[in-house]
Amino acid sequence: MKIAMNTGGGDAPGLNAVIRGVVLAASQKGWEVFGIKYGYQGLIDTKQIIRLTPEVVWDITNLGGTILGTASKGDPFKYLVRNSDGTVAETDISDKVVSNFKALNFDALIAIGGDGSLRIASEFMKKGIPIIGIPKTIDNDISATSVTFGFNTAVNTATEAIDRLHTTAKSHDRVMVVEVMGRNTGWIALHSGVSGSADVILIPEIPFDIEKVCNKIRQLELIGQNYAIVVVAEGAKPVGGDITIIEKRSDGVVRLGGIGKKVAEEIASRTGKETRDMVLGHLQRGGAPTTFDRLLSLRFGAAAVRFIAEGKFGTMVALHSSKIHAVPIDEAIGKMNTVPLDSDIILTARSLGISFGN
Ligand code: F6P
């Protein structure tokens, strides 16, 4: 067997561990593995393909990022091609990807990515490329798996940052507002906020009322806590308001950011408290994966090879309880894994007195 593998979308801690899991498991079967660089770019320009032997991946389990490089643009179904007159047009070059895949005699593609990359993988499956998907995102917003790798590491990073902010908040009697990632879902904000003893957590699933956030801060003062920690997911929005966008790309994808600053400004002007805000940003995507993420990634990689051997094409590797399953890719991309409002962590947060601003 000759296996191709790519990583698409934002990087996440654990990607290299998945790559290692695939390569070592495939080599046990005597199969060859090739890395397609920068998402699908390596199947458009085939010079961007590298042989992945066990020696190449020997010591990469603990490395952040992806040795294959990744791309959050470059969907072959909507590829941006520059015309001779300088204008840029969206073109479908997916047939070129399929013909290169076939010409190189690949038997299967392991596509590691988030919602967007899995959607592209599903389209290629329909065009005849045998695909196994592996879910990746620090946001943990992919359905059909209980968790994605990268999430645990991101939560640890965010929790550690919140812990550090407590010292300044307490010493200066300040409100510290920290914006974490999570464009559509509040998993990182919720898990790190509860673990990091936040007073307020704002998530996309629960539109907030800024006056209720301020009331929580005033109540804390009444009981002698003159500081507060507010954790805000980048995709959080006020009741009746909208998400905060930094940039809208030509392909319609938006970059989020700035809600933390807005919340901090409102808190300062309404409560008169000294307030600071910070954005954790890509710090959450970097660094070595936690033990949990390494193990999950290695398991996902090894399982993808087993699924190829079993002919389970069109499926995605998923974790349910402690077991790894093959689920249809289309099930995973059909809907977003949002935080259930009756989930135990939300109930726990409310029991601890944490405000969601509602
Ligand atoms: O999807 C993961 C994510 O980390 C989002 O939370 C965030 O909005 C986005 O990636 C940032 O992407 P980029 O690296 O393209 O700015």
Side-chain angles (χ1 to χ4, degrees):
M1 288 281 247
K2 199 174 165 193
I3 311 299
M5 169 165 56
N6 68 357
T7 54
D11 67 333
L15 276 170
N16 283 325
V18 175
I19 293 169
R20 181 167 180 266
V22 167
V23 172
L24 296 188
S27 116
Q28 294 283 327
K29 293 186 181 294
W31 297 355
E32 286 182 326
V33 182
F34 290 81
I36 310 298
K37 296 204 78 180
Y38 304 109
Y40 286 91
Q41 195 55 38
L43 281 172
I44 296 165
D45 165 14
T46 54
K47 286 195 285 300
Q48 308 256 35
I49 294 181
I50 54 169
R51 176 81 205 279
L52 294 172
T53 60
E55 295 71 35
V56 174
V57 300
W58 206 246
D59 56 358
I60 64 169
T61 300
N62 60 341
L63 266 192
T66 161
I67 61 164
L68 296 181
T70 186
S72 43
K73 294 179 194 170
D75 175 353
F77 292 89
K78 295 176 186 161
Y79 202 73
L80 296 180
V81 177
R82 188 169 292 277
N83 298 320
S84 49
D85 62 0
T87 56
V88 175
E90 238 178 39
T91 315
D92 181 351
I93 57 162
S94 57
D95 285 341
K96 182 171 184 183
V97 168
V98 177
S99 65
N100 281 338
F101 182 89
K102 290 188 176 152
L104 291 161
N105 292 317
F106 286 129
D107 296 296
L109 171 68
I110 296 178
I112 313 167
D115 183 66
S117 309
L118 292 172
R119 265 174 216 282
I120 299 171
S122 166
E123 291 304 312
F124 276 122
M125 183 75 203
K126 286 172 197 133
K127 290 190 101 144
I129 296 189
I131 288 186
I132 301 288
I134 300 186
K136 166 254 39 157
T137 160
I138 65 161
D139 289 0
N140 197 34
D141 57 8
I142 299 180
S143 290
T145 180
S146 27
V147 73
T148 50
F149 66 86
F151 170 64
N152 183 266
T153 308
V155 168
N156 273 8
T157 304
T159 306
E160 194 194 326
I162 296 166
D163 283 349
R164 286 171 190 269
L165 293 174
H166 271 276
T167 8
T168 304
K170 203 168 176 178
S171 306
H172 291 261
D173 282 353
R174 278 182 185 163
V175 178
M176 301 295 284
V177 179
V178 55
E179 181 180 305
V180 298
M181 281 188 169
R183 49 192 305 120
N184 301 303
T185 64
W187 292 106
I188 296 177
L190 182 64
H191 282 230
S192 65
V194 173
S195 310
S197 309
D199 302 294
V200 177
I201 300 173
L202 305 178
I203 60 175
E205 292 85 344
I206 307 179
F208 64 87
D209 174 345
I210 193 67
E211 199 42 38
K212 293 197 170 142
V213 173
C214 294
N215 279 342
K216 173 69 190 175
I217 292 164
R218 294 183 191 111
Q219 279 164 16
L220 290 172
E221 283 204 307
L222 290 178
I223 56 164
Q225 184 185 318
N226 295 325
Y227 66 93
I229 301 286
V230 179
V231 178
V232 189
E234 62 185 346
K237 52 182 179 303
V239 177
D242 217 343
I243 48 170
T244 309
I245 293 173
I246 293 179
E247 180 198 358
K248 189 162 187 170
R249 287 191 340 213
S250 55
D251 59 3
V253 175
V254 291
R255 272 180 63 212
L256 303 186
I259 184 64
K261 189 174 171 50
K262 282 188 186 169
V263 166
E265 283 168 1
E266 285 287 334
I267 292 173
S269 76
R270 287 169 188 248
T271 66
K273 288 204 66 80
E274 202 180 358
T275 305
R276 297 283 187 275
D277 72 281
M278 68 157 313
V279 181
L280 282 190
H282 293 84
L283 278 179
Q284 296 156 98
R285 293 224 307 244
T290 56
T291 308
F292 179 91
D293 277 337
R294 292 179 198 197
L295 196 52
L296 184 61
S297 302
L298 292 166
R299 291 175 72 195
F300 275 6
V305 171
R306 285 201 304 277
F307 292 168
I308 291 175
E310 293 162 9
K312 294 180 174 162
F313 296 111
T315 65
M316 179 190 88
V317 179
L319 183 78
H320 290 153
S321 303
S322 59
K323 293 214 166 63
I324 303 272
H325 292 274
V327 297
I329 292 183
D330 288 343
E331 206 175 280
I333 60 180
K335 73 179 199 355
M336 190 77 64
N337 176 34
T338 53
V339 175
L341 298 187
D342 59 353
S343 68
D344 185 64
I345 303 188
I346 293 272
L347 299 180
T348 302
R350 292 200 192 276
S351 300
L352 298 178
I354 296 171
S355 165
F356 289 98
N358 71 333

